[in-house]
């Protein structure tokens, strides 16, 4: 993939009860929120999370920690 091609980016903001997620496109510099992802004691359901990642097939990931 060259630098001029659009890249899809998936962003995560982890919390203890919920995780915010968004998917964006670098070419148009936009992002759209995905539904909140419920966590249990700060731990995601990894199978559900993998399903979402496979559905969107992002090129890059950004992980944040909201404080």
């Amino acid at each position: 993939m060259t630098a001029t091609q659009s890249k899809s980016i998936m962003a995560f903001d982890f919390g203890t009860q919920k995780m915010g997620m968004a998917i964006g496109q670098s070419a148009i510099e936009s992002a759209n929120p995905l539904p909140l992802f419920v966590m249990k004691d700060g731990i995601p359901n990894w199978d559900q999370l993998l399903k979402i990642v496979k559905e969107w097939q992002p090129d890059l990931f950004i992980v944040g920690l909201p404080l």
Side-chain angles (χ1 to χ4, degrees), residues 8-10 12 23 52-61:
S8 63
I9 302 164
M10 184 172 274
F12 303 91
I23 190 77
I52 293 169
V53 170
K54 284 182 177 181
E55 176 184 345
W56 289 96
Q57 299 181 359
D59 298 302
L60 301 168
F61 294 98

Side-chain angles (χ1 to χ4, degrees), residues 14-20 36-44:
F14 281 90
T16 57
Q17 301 301 315
K18 296 178 184 169
M19 177 174 52
L36 285 174
F37 192 84
V38 178
M39 309 269 279
K40 184 172 181 174
D41 298 322
I43 300 170

